[in-house]
Amino acid sequence: MLRTIESLGPLGGKRIIVRCDLNVPLEGGAITDDGRIRASLTTLNELLHAGVKVIVISHLGRPDAAPDAAYSLAPVAQRLSELLGQPVTFATDTIGQAARSAVAGLGEGEIALLENLRFNKGETAKNDAERREFASKLAEFADAFVSDGFGVVHRKQASVWDLAELLPSAAGRLIETELGVLERLTERPERPYTVVLGGAKVSDKLGVIEHLLPKVDSLLIGGGMTYTFLAAQGNSVGASLLEADQLDTVKGYLAKAKEIGVELVLPVDAVMASGFKADADHEVRPVESLEAAPWGAAGMGLDIGPQTAQEFAQVVKASRTVFWNGPMGVFEFPAFAEGTRTLAKALTEVRGLSVVGGGDSAAAVREFGYTEADFGHISTGGGASLEFLEGESLPGLEVLGWQS
Ligand code: ADP
Ligand code: MG
């Protein structure tokens, strides 16, 4: 049974450290999508209203285990303060003097945010002792731990795993909500059940396909993963994203899909571009001739083509359960956002449960003007949701008492 906040007993006056996933997209220091901050509010408000001294911790991006202004949580502290309608003390370090004095200065119902966890080597260390040592320093700040960063529960990291072992710990409201939705997807999803995969973390996501195939009716592949599949089918893909060492694995997936009767749907066309930039020249090409002139082997696929987008939309709209993770193209460049936009629209038209998961995917649908109300659920977790759907056991949930 997942331990929830109730399991922590009376809250008033306690110091509670809360792991949130405030890893928001930034552009030139400005937050472009604050969805993950908003998603953290339910738990934080509940604790604050109960008179807790709240210490929030999070990572942001992938800094190199050392302080780096480009990955500071300072802009997040400001946005969080606006959304909560109360001051948020920002500590310019994570376990140093600044953090200690921020925590010491907290009154009941007050809140502090510590600097980026990943400025510290211990946070993501593979070495157990190193991780534990960092977590112990965080643990000194608090009487209890609430884990609410759903986007990181698949990671065995200091602030996800070790901290939960060191302090009385419980899941926050966001994790409870996310789990509720994902359980609806895994326990007898209404059929047809379609999963759509895209995005850039190709090697991460290729791995989940094997486990998802037997569970779904259709698996649609877009985004950067497309080109490894197309190459496995013998197409040339130019300078598109390609995991050359995964070609055999991918051939195996294609064979397995056929064998078990799952529809594995690949793009039939792509938007090829002269380079990776917003104003690159671009043309729609059928997948058999991605390397056509004028760019030849230098061309790169930055979006699914319009015919593919239509086909994907048809499959999605005919489904009763849809989970989507990963943009269909480089949606940050308007010229390559159409595939993602068409897919997003199709998800809003599903008669059944539609779930969008992943930081960038969620940012994309909000950029198109959609809100939570347009989907069954917008999940803050991409990788975490996928691993859950695969049936993997997630360390950050297990440590809170949850069992699959
Ligand atoms: P999520 O955060 O939703 O889990 P990812 O982080 O895996 O998604 O991927 C998001 C990124 O994938 C976006 O920044 C997008 O630009 C990129 N992307 C999508 N399609 C392509 C492509 N064909 N080539 C390169 N990058 C791509
Ligand atoms: Mg992402």
Side-chain angles (χ1 to χ4, degrees), residues 175-215:
I175 285 192
E176 276 186 76
T177 306
E178 296 266 16
L179 268 183
V181 174
L182 290 178
E183 277 176 337
R184 282 175 65 198
L185 287 176
T186 44
E187 288 162 14
R188 301 196 210 186
E190 212 188 325
R191 298 199 176 258
Y193 175 21
T194 297
V195 169
V196 191
L197 294 179
K201 294 175 194 157
V202 178
S203 33
D204 277 13
K205 293 181 188 182
L206 279 175
V208 313
I209 292 174
E210 179 167 19
H211 297 96
L212 282 177
L213 272 178
K215 302 193 159 85

Side-chain angles (χ1 to χ4, degrees), residues 11 81 96 121 161 275 282 288 384 390:
L11 298 173
S81 164
K121 212 159 82 226
W161 168 269
H282 53 90
E288 296 78 19
E390 279 179 65

Side-chain angles (χ1 to χ4, degrees), residues 12-37:
K14 273 196 178 135
R15 297 171 307 162
I16 298 188
I17 192 160
V18 186
R19 175 48 156 120
C20 295
D21 176 3
L22 306 178
N23 182 27
V24 292
L26 290 167
E27 246 177 61
I31 297 166
T32 54
D33 179 59
D34 64 4
R36 281 182 164 167
I37 306 178

Side-chain angles (χ1 to χ4, degrees), residues 89-370:
T89 306
F90 179 64
T92 53
D93 61 33
T94 322
I95 49 171
Q97 188 52 50
R100 275 195 297 274
S101 72
V103 172
L106 283 178
E108 295 187 9
E110 293 181 352
I111 178 167
L113 172 65
L114 310 186
E115 183 55 287
N116 196 340
L117 289 160
R118 292 191 187 166
F119 287 177
N120 305 271
K121 212 159 82 226
E123 169 65 359
T124 56
K126 293 277 173 280
N127 179 295
D128 288 348
E130 208 178 324
R131 244 188 15 247
R132 189 58 61 124
E133 193 196 326
F134 176 59
S136 311
K137 300 220 170 96
L138 289 169
E140 283 172 20
F141 291 147
D143 308 305
F145 173 56
V146 168
S147 181
D148 213 23
F150 181 71
V152 289
V153 290
H154 58 316
R155 309 261 188 228
K156 194 171 179 181
Q157 295 175 340
S159 68
V160 179
W161 168 269
D162 299 274
L163 201 47
E165 286 208 324
L166 291 168
L167 288 171
S169 57
R173 302 306 181 204
L174 177 62
I175 285 192
E176 276 186 76
T177 306
E178 296 266 16
L179 268 183
V181 174
L182 290 178
E183 277 176 337
R184 282 175 65 198
L185 287 176
T186 44
E187 288 162 14
R188 301 196 210 186
E190 212 188 325
R191 298 199 176 258
Y193 175 21
T194 297
V195 169
V196 191
L197 294 179
K201 294 175 194 157
V202 178
S203 33
D204 277 13
K205 293 181 188 182
L206 279 175
V208 313
I209 292 174
E210 179 167 19
H211 297 96
L212 282 177
L213 272 178
K215 302 193 159 85
V216 303
D217 299 301
S218 301
L219 186 62
L220 314 184
I221 305 283
M225 230 179 301
T226 302
Y227 306 93
T228 304
F229 276 87
L230 294 177
Q233 290 184 320
N235 298 289
S236 307
V237 298
S240 310
L241 280 185
L242 175 66
E243 301 264 323
D245 56 345
Q246 299 290 320
L247 289 173
D248 285 333
T249 313
V250 163
K251 282 179 196 157
Y253 296 156
L254 290 164
K256 182 166 181 188
K258 199 172 246 169
E259 181 193 313
I260 62 179
V262 168
E263 222 192 351
L264 204 161
V265 190
L266 294 175
V268 292
D269 57 357
V271 182
M272 295 301 287
S274 59
F276 192 88
K277 39 178 199 202
D279 60 354
D281 289 330
H282 53 90
E283 268 171 37
V284 175
R285 298 271 166 73
V287 296
E288 296 78 19
S289 54
L290 297 181
E291 286 195 357
W295 312 302
M300 51 179 77
L302 296 188
D303 195 8
I304 56 173
Q307 194 182 331
T308 304
Q310 286 312 321
E311 287 180 14
F312 282 14
Q314 291 309 323
V315 176
V316 163
K317 284 192 269 187
S319 303
R320 289 298 168 117
T321 307
V322 183
F323 177 81
W324 168 34
N325 169 242
M328 296 291 97
V330 184
F331 74 95
E332 295 91 339
F333 302 154
F336 308 106
E338 280 315 303
T340 306
R341 188 191 308 274
T342 302
L343 189 76
K345 178 159 189 292
L347 258 93
T348 67
E349 292 166 15
V350 170
R351 282 165 304 172
L353 178 61
S354 61
V355 180
V356 181
D360 293 294
S361 308
V365 303
R366 282 191 282 259
E367 195 179 302
F368 300 146
Y370 297 115

